[in-house]
Amino acid sequence: MNYDLIIARYGEIGLKSPKIRSRFEKKLVKNIKATFECSVDRNQGRIYIFPENFEDGIEKLNKVFGVVSYSPATSTKTSYEDIDETLTKYVESLVEKGLIDENTKFAIKCRRVGKHEFTSQEMAAHCGGVVRKVVMAPVDLTNPDLTIFVEVRENDTYIFHEKIKGPGGLPLGTQGKVVVLLSSGIDSPVAAYLMMKRGCEVIALNCDNAPFTTPKSAELFEQLVDQLNEYAKGVPIKKRVVPYGEYLQTAKGTAPEKMTCVLCKSGMYHIAEKLALKLGADAIVDGSSVGQVASQTLSNILATRYGVEMPILSPLIGLDKEEITKIAKKIGTFEISKIDDGGCSAVPKYPETRADLERVKQACEDMNQDAEVQKAFENIRRLD
């Protein structure tokens, strides 16, 4: 096909006030330009992209949040002569590719913006006649096998037949920053992805539990961030690692063994809060799903978050493992997360599942949690 541009569409951005919509559009354009080489124009709710490499652009637009759908298109001027010539060549290409023949039911859908000497219905009927001059295919406006779109905007007209679904959401970087507790497992990368889809810039914080974990865990964390960064062009993920083994050792040495996971998660939230305040983030994000593991029962969720004043968001809270895994496979993190990293040897044989808040508070005092958290926080490393 002789495409010369890609038309991208957004969804909920169009519901914003004119000032906010303009700001979101500009951010979306910036992210598109950071994803692949192109020039971009925006006009009346449409974003017109002129990529240097069409295949590259069509593939990578599927990873730009804020894009609801997009269409590779051919442009021409808004006159019967120009539309006839361009549409004829377009249909000839469709015939060559086997997308339409004399048995293919087709429809023309025309949308028009501006003042013209014809109505949308008149132009659709005219274009249908042009198609049938190339191939005597039957018209079916109710249940077509192929729909050709003719979008007339003032003096320019665009012709296309595909509407490729984009990731949707809001442009990355329009909704502030969040600190995501990111491990090498399946859940937390999906949580990060979903927050990115809602426009949040991500700071990924990994708690390195060595010597209770192997170096493989840290390697997988970096690989997962690299994969998620495929969706973060323009607003790359910041990577932070905190040495957490000493904190865990203190927790195990001062509290009942069954409380190790509760105290572990509690400390992670407190460190994440300190990092969020330092870097200007507005919330903490984790991969919790109610009842999935011992630390994610409702009573444990309450206990582990005690004392943290910043909002803690859990976008997976109502999803089951199958639903989470489906998203992980879609975004390319599953194959990384399923690699065996040896697990965490600090996990007790019988972890606490119904933590009593008063007992947890006492355990935090016994281990001097504030001092241990501060000690770990002071040794955070940046990897980006």
Side-chain angles (χ1 to χ4, degrees):
M1 306 296 291
N2 295 319
Y3 298 129
D4 55 3
L5 81 159
I6 302 173
I7 302 174
R9 308 170 191 87
Y10 51 71
E12 58 187 293
I13 295 176
L15 302 177
K16 307 297 182 183
S17 67
K19 183 177 180 180
I20 298 298
R21 182 172 62 203
S22 177
R23 179 166 66 85
F24 280 24
E25 282 182 352
K26 289 177 181 177
K27 185 60 177 173
L28 179 56
V29 168
K30 182 179 178 181
N31 292 347
I32 290 171
K33 288 182 175 180
T35 304
F36 55 92
E37 292 293 328
C38 62
S39 59
V40 182
D41 291 331
R42 57 191 181 98
N43 183 33
Q44 296 178 317
R46 290 288 186 270
I47 295 176
Y48 301 99
I49 305 165
F50 303 89
E52 291 190 6
N53 183 311
F54 256 88
E55 290 185 3
D56 188 47
I58 291 171
E59 178 183 352
K60 290 183 177 179
L61 259 183
N62 196 41
K63 295 181 179 179
V64 180
F65 294 119
V67 175
V68 171
S69 68
Y70 55 99
S71 301
T74 297
S75 65
T76 188
K77 290 300 177 183
T78 302
S79 70
Y80 281 108
E81 181 180 353
D82 289 320
I83 292 173
D84 287 5
E85 180 181 353
T86 303
L87 182 57
T88 296
K89 292 179 180 178
Y90 194 93
V91 176
E92 288 172 347
S93 295
L94 292 176
V95 172
E96 289 176 9
K97 291 182 175 292
L99 296 176
I100 186 172
D101 58 29
E102 63 274 6
N103 297 313
T104 305
K105 295 180 290 184
F106 82 96
I108 299 288
K109 286 193 176 180
C110 179
R111 181 179 181 184
R112 192 171 54 86
V113 176
K115 294 183 178 180
H116 303 92
E117 60 183 17
F118 50 81
T119 66
S120 297
Q121 291 81 1
E122 289 170 343
M123 178 54 72
H126 174 79
C127 289
V130 174
V131 173
R132 285 176 59 83
K133 287 180 181 178
V134 179
V135 55
M136 287 299 292
V139 175
D140 188 336
L141 302 181
T142 303
N143 189 31
D145 300 316
L146 174 71
T147 300
I148 299 174
F149 298 88
V150 178
E151 192 164 294
V152 181
R153 288 182 168 258
E154 302 294 351
N155 296 322
D156 295 305
T157 295
Y158 307 95
I159 299 170
F160 53 92
H161 71 280
E162 292 181 282
K163 283 191 176 181
I164 304 169
K165 187 177 181 181
L170 294 171
L172 189 62
T174 59
Q175 300 301 306
K177 301 177 186 176
V178 294
V179 172
V180 179
L181 289 168
L182 192 70
S183 70
S184 58
I186 295 172
D187 301 341
S188 57
V190 174
Y193 169 85
L194 292 177
M195 295 307 299
M196 291 161 63
K197 184 175 179 179
R198 296 310 303 160
C200 294
E201 177 182 347
V202 165
I203 302 161
L205 174 62
N206 178 251
C207 295
D208 183 359
N209 292 350
F212 299 102
T213 53
T214 68
K216 190 66 177 177
S217 178
E219 293 175 17
L220 294 179
F221 163 71
E222 292 213 53
Q223 291 179 38
L224 286 166
V225 173
D226 289 343
Q227 179 60 31
L228 288 171
N229 264 327
E230 291 294 312
Y231 297 86
K233 303 300 183 183
V235 192
I237 297 170
K238 295 181 174 67
K239 293 186 284 189
R240 299 293 186 272
V241 174
V242 58
Y244 205 57
E246 186 176 342
Y247 173 95
L248 259 183
Q249 187 65 66
T250 302
K252 288 179 68 67
T254 59
E257 184 181 14
K258 64 185 298 186
M259 294 183 65
T260 299
C261 292
V262 172
L263 293 174
C264 175
K265 197 62 175 284
S266 172
M268 289 180 179
Y269 287 139
H270 284 284
I271 292 172
E273 182 176 40
K274 286 180 174 290
L275 181 63
L277 292 171
K278 179 179 179 180
L279 298 182
D282 300 313
I284 300 163
V285 176
D286 73 354
S288 293
S289 170
V290 171
Q292 188 175 125
V293 296
S295 64
Q296 295 173 14
T297 62
L298 285 178
S299 55
N300 282 7
I301 287 174
L302 173 63
T304 55
R305 300 183 182 196
Y306 174 78
V308 180
E309 297 181 1
M310 184 168 288
I312 300 174
L313 310 178
S314 302
L316 311 183
I317 200 71
L319 303 183
D320 61 31
K321 200 67 176 184
E322 184 176 346
E323 293 169 312
I324 297 167
T325 298
K326 183 178 180 180
I327 300 173
K329 289 179 178 178
K330 174 186 172 183
I331 64 177
T333 58
F334 178 75
E335 292 300 319
I336 302 170
S337 295
K338 76 174 185 179
I339 297 172
D340 185 11
D341 64 0
C344 178
S345 62
V347 177
K349 185 176 182 179
Y350 300 107
E352 179 66 74
T353 59
R354 295 181 61 85
D356 177 78
L357 182 55
E358 292 305 317
R359 290 181 59 228
V360 173
K361 288 163 64 175
Q362 185 60 54
C364 290
E365 290 182 17
D366 292 345
M367 70 170 290
N368 196 1
Q369 186 189 55
D370 290 345
E372 293 299 323
V373 164
Q374 183 60 33
K375 190 188 305 180
F377 177 71
E378 289 173 355
N379 290 296
I380 284 182
R381 306 190 311 274
R382 58 181 297 172
L383 300 182
D384 41 290

